[in-house]
Amino acid sequence: MQASVPELTDLSKEPPRLLEICTGLTGATAYPSSFRIGSFPILSFDYRTDEHFRADLCYYATSPARGIRFTDRATSLELTGEVPHVVEDGRWHHAVVNMKELIDASTTEYSGTMYSAEKLILADFGHLANVPGVTMNVDNFELTPAVSTANGLTLSWTAADLSGITGYSYHWSAKPADEADGISEGPEGKADFKDVPEGAQYLHLRAQDGAGNWSATRHFRFLIDNTPPKLKAASPAKGEGSASETVSVQFDDPVAGVDPARLSLSVGGRRCY
């Protein structure tokens, strides 16, 4: 007799992994909703392709359309960077792209919409170079959220099994494939986490059913940034007057960086941004 094991079905902070074929385009919609790249800076996915398939990643379709080079040699997108170390040998490979770092490196003019993503589309843009019969396989699209645990981070999850769920085991580490142990932390599908180390960290999570069976461990990646940004420079400086219409500020935040959409600026006690 083979016992069933519980299946973890959801984690509240993780964006859904969806794939939808784009009508009329050689490509697919990897993520159909708008999101802030400042809040979800890292994209990862698995792919298998040979040297014949042409496609790039578009994250902002409004003119000028912006994106990231993948395998296309001629594109109509305004490129902010490229997927690193692409291998086109017909085998499965894993790609990790820090989209926010690419955007930061491609411009010195910051705006409140620079990290806006309307959706994620993997397609052939501009000159359509794909011929009938060529294929590309993609899987496991994942957006990594940037979060802080300095004041606590609440995560919730669910699991399902015919005998019910009696407990969960979980822990954090910087290793992507660590196994959660067989000691239950309790039956509640929710926990508060505080002071998780900064950087890329993984929550390793498994569930136990009413018969004592443990599920396989699921691994959820987060970018942890517990340190507030620090003001590095400002013009005009503190106590100085200026007739200029421009106020410039520079922040130091080495982990997740600063998203201009989350900044507020007050001059003379009045908020102006």
Side-chain angles (χ1 to χ4, degrees):
M1 178 178 178
Q2 184 176 359
S4 64
V5 296
E7 180 181 359
L8 284 163
T9 57
D10 181 53
L11 185 72
S12 63
K13 290 290 183 179
E14 184 188 37
R17 303 173 187 180
L18 301 176
L19 194 64
E20 174 187 343
I21 299 300
C22 298
T23 304
L25 286 176
T26 303
T29 299
Y31 189 67
S33 304
S34 62
F35 64 96
R36 296 289 306 174
I37 293 176
S39 299
F40 294 90
I42 299 175
L43 168 68
S44 60
F45 60 94
D46 299 319
Y47 68 93
R48 179 174 63 186
T49 185
D50 57 29
E51 60 182 351
H52 303 295
F53 195 94
R54 301 288 178 261
D56 287 326
L57 283 161
C58 175
Y59 60 85
Y60 195 80
T62 302
S63 182
R66 299 195 295 270
I68 299 168
R69 185 185 299 281
F70 186 31
T71 62
D72 203 354
R73 273 62 166 176
T75 181
S76 60
L77 296 176
E78 182 180 287
L79 297 173
T80 55
E82 62 183 31
V83 178
H85 312 302
V86 175
V87 182
E88 301 170 84
D89 62 358
R91 300 180 180 181
W92 281 102
H93 298 277
H94 186 65
V96 179
V97 187
N98 192 316
M99 296 184 292
K100 184 178 182 301
E101 286 187 354
L102 292 181
I103 294 172
D104 289 344
S106 68
T107 181
T108 57
E109 296 183 5
Y110 288 80
S111 69
T113 61
M114 63 183 297
Y115 299 128
S116 297
E118 297 174 330
K119 60 176 65 177
L120 271 179
I121 302 172
L122 179 63
D124 185 8
F125 297 92
H127 174 65
L128 302 181
N130 288 317
V131 299
V134 298
T135 61
M136 173 185 288
N137 301 106
V138 291
D139 199 1
N140 299 323
F141 270 90
E142 183 175 342
L143 292 168
T144 298
V147 298
S148 173
T149 62
N151 297 316
L153 172 68
T154 301
L155 297 175
S156 61
W157 51 83
T158 59
D161 189 83
L162 292 176
S163 63
I165 301 299
T166 60
Y168 296 95
S169 173
Y170 47 81
H171 78 278
W172 291 86
S173 81
K175 299 179 180 179
D178 267 3
E179 290 294 324
D181 61 31
I183 302 174
S184 175
E185 302 286 347
E188 187 175 10
K190 180 180 179 180
D192 296 322
F193 301 99
K194 187 175 175 61
D195 296 329
V196 177
E198 289 191 321
Q201 295 286 331
Y202 296 83
L203 175 63
H204 310 284
L205 175 67
R206 64 195 303 207
Q208 186 181 41
D209 66 13
N213 302 303
W214 284 99
S215 72
T217 300
R218 290 279 309 271
H219 313 281
F220 302 93
R221 182 177 179 173
F222 294 80
L223 181 62
I224 307 296
D225 186 355
N226 298 325
T227 305
K230 296 180 180 179
L231 182 62
K232 190 174 182 179
S235 177
K238 183 178 180 180
E240 291 184 353
S242 175
S244 173
E245 296 180 351
T246 301
V247 175
S248 63
V249 290
Q250 184 178 357
F251 292 95
D252 183 21
D253 192 339
V255 181
V258 176
D259 186 345
R262 294 186 172 184
L263 294 177
S264 62
L265 176 65
S266 297
V267 178
R270 189 179 73 175
R271 181 171 177 173
C272 56
Y273 181 83

